[in-house]
Amino acid sequence: MGQLKAHEVDGWLARPQAGVPIVLIYGPDRGLVSERARRFAEKSGVPLDDPFSVVRLDASELDKDSGRLVDEANTLPMFAGKRLLWVRNAAGQKALADDVKALCAAPPPDTTVLIEAGDLKKGVGLRSTVEAARQAIALPCYSDDARSVDTVIDDELSGAGLSIDPEARALLRRNLGGDRMATRAEVAKLALYALGQDRILVDDVRALTGDVSSISVDEAVDAILEGNLAAFDTAYSRQALGTSQAYAVLSALQRQLLSLQAMRAVMEREGGNPASAVAAARPPVFFARRKLVEQALARWPSRTLARILERLHETVLLTRRRPELAVAATHRMLMDIARDAARGGANR
């Protein structure tokens, strides 16, 4: 069987092919690995609540006892029927890879081996063994893309009898996708929050979802562009108390200014206006920020943006050389940019 492409996995799991006794589900998204393993187990035909039919094992235990997985797979069941060996937390364990290789060569009848693993390198160990076997299959699990996130959102909200506004969906999607289990938990929490409503709005998403440090970074950057000194000071202080410290705001503002610089260059070259530049931007500017970005484009010409980016670069170097000054130096420099914005770009 070998390996499926990432986009083929859900289709295969919907109708698992018979005659595949060894299934490896692996990837960096451990929540998605766990969810897909559960889906496969439920379709295996084995009663998951029967301790005689389902044997759950940890890969670290198997690594200490070479040959145990083979022995377990070839153990005759106490009662007739199919068996499922469910192995979790697999990685680079050599003993496990050797046992799986032996089982691929001589799979036991009426036993399915399901293995959950982390991110495995191509051509190495367990993954290589499964991909090369005729009676085994490897199913990769990578972080959700926008389409996958939308599927999870629709699945969770439709089950709760809820719909979601397009703007709220766009905002929610920005805060999701790193891990399938975390994504489902966030959407389920949102559905519970909106219990009694029939539709989720932007304010609902803002009230309940997203990482606090990530939100404070976005708030700090927007406050700088807007020239709102008080809002910047509050957002920056909240961020500076977090684990990512000042660099997160510097990095986020740098990305934003580079985007502004590219749009401004098009405006100056083609004689366009801020609204048309924002409308043509790729990736598109989030709807709630369009006016803010248009105002920044109108305020700062290319030469000013270049000067601000140079200051940012100098501050980044300073924070690396003198980490003890990072929070204070970054605050002072960003506050200067916010003051310039508040004055309408008077220093351009």
Side-chain angles (χ1 to χ4, degrees):
M1 285 292 296
Q3 170 168 305
L4 295 183
K5 300 293 184 183
H7 68 273
E8 299 172 329
V9 174
D10 282 324
W12 191 89
L13 286 172
R15 291 186 176 182
Q17 184 175 337
V20 184
I22 300 172
V23 177
L24 169 65
I25 304 179
Y26 74 94
D29 189 338
R30 299 305 292 266
L32 184 54
V33 169
S34 178
E35 179 177 300
R36 284 174 166 170
R38 168 63 61 172
R39 285 173 58 192
F40 175 78
E42 289 171 348
K43 288 180 175 289
S44 67
V46 177
L48 300 185
D49 58 351
D50 182 355
F52 297 104
S53 299
V54 181
V55 179
R56 292 177 169 85
L57 301 164
D58 192 275
S60 61
E61 299 173 5
L62 298 175
D63 197 44
K64 298 174 185 175
D65 190 1
S66 180
R68 181 180 171 188
L69 184 63
V70 175
D71 292 341
E72 290 281 2
N74 287 289
T75 298
L76 294 176
M78 185 173 295
F79 304 102
K82 295 181 178 180
R83 297 175 71 234
L84 174 67
L85 301 186
W86 194 339
V87 181
R88 290 191 168 101
N89 301 317
Q93 297 94 347
K94 185 178 185 304
L96 174 60
D98 291 343
D99 280 4
V100 170
K101 186 173 184 178
L103 290 174
C104 287
D110 297 323
T111 298
T112 298
V113 179
L114 169 62
I115 305 169
E116 293 184 37
D119 197 11
L120 303 175
K121 292 183 179 180
K122 184 175 179 61
V124 178
L126 180 61
R127 176 177 169 184
S128 176
T129 297
V130 172
E131 289 178 350
R134 296 184 61 184
Q135 293 182 293
I137 190 167
L139 309 179
C141 300
Y142 299 107
S143 296
D144 287 326
D145 56 18
R147 181 181 298 179
S148 301
V149 170
D150 277 332
T151 299
V152 175
I153 292 172
D154 291 337
D155 184 37
E156 290 291 328
L157 294 186
S158 63
L162 290 164
S163 60
I164 184 169
D165 276 359
E167 295 85 357
R169 179 188 292 273
L171 179 59
L172 178 59
R173 193 190 295 127
R174 289 173 60 192
N175 296 324
L176 303 175
D179 178 272
R180 173 64 68 88
M181 193 174 294
T183 292
R184 282 201 182 275
E186 283 294 311
V187 181
K189 184 171 67 175
L190 180 62
L192 183 62
Y193 175 80
L195 193 65
Q197 302 175 197
D198 59 0
R199 195 167 188 81
I200 291 175
L201 306 176
V202 168
D203 287 343
D204 298 321
V205 177
R206 285 177 176 157
L208 206 65
T209 65
D211 177 72
V212 172
S213 64
S214 174
I215 292 172
S216 63
V217 168
D218 293 340
E219 289 175 347
V221 170
D222 286 354
I224 292 168
L225 297 183
E226 189 179 12
N228 188 331
L229 305 186
F232 162 71
D233 196 52
T234 299
Y236 181 81
S237 297
R238 188 189 313 157
Q239 176 62 27
L241 292 173
T243 56
S244 54
Q245 296 293 324
Y247 182 73
V249 183
L250 285 173
S251 180
L253 181 60
Q254 189 173 47
R255 290 193 300 271
Q256 178 64 78
L257 291 176
L258 287 170
S259 177
L260 287 173
Q261 194 175 48
M263 287 186 275
R264 183 71 202 199
V266 172
M267 283 175 53
E268 293 172 359
R269 184 175 64 248
E270 300 179 1
N273 57 47
S276 62
V278 170
R282 293 294 179 272
V285 178
F286 183 53
F287 82 100
R289 303 184 68 249
R290 289 174 188 166
K291 184 176 180 181
L292 179 66
V293 175
E294 289 173 10
Q295 290 172 342
L297 284 172
R299 179 186 308 121
W300 288 322
S302 292
R303 63 179 179 275
T304 302
L305 291 169
R307 190 187 75 241
I308 296 172
L309 282 165
E310 180 61 28
R311 288 196 64 191
L312 275 175
H313 180 66
E314 292 171 356
T315 305
V316 169
L317 290 178
L318 174 63
T319 62
R320 291 175 179 173
R321 292 170 181 160
R322 300 287 302 276
E324 72 278 11
L325 301 178
V327 172
T330 299
H331 180 272
R332 183 176 62 185
M333 190 273 299
L334 295 179
M335 185 64 84
D336 286 345
I337 299 173
R339 288 195 185 98
D340 185 70
R343 292 192 292 262
N347 294 332
R348 53 186 192 173

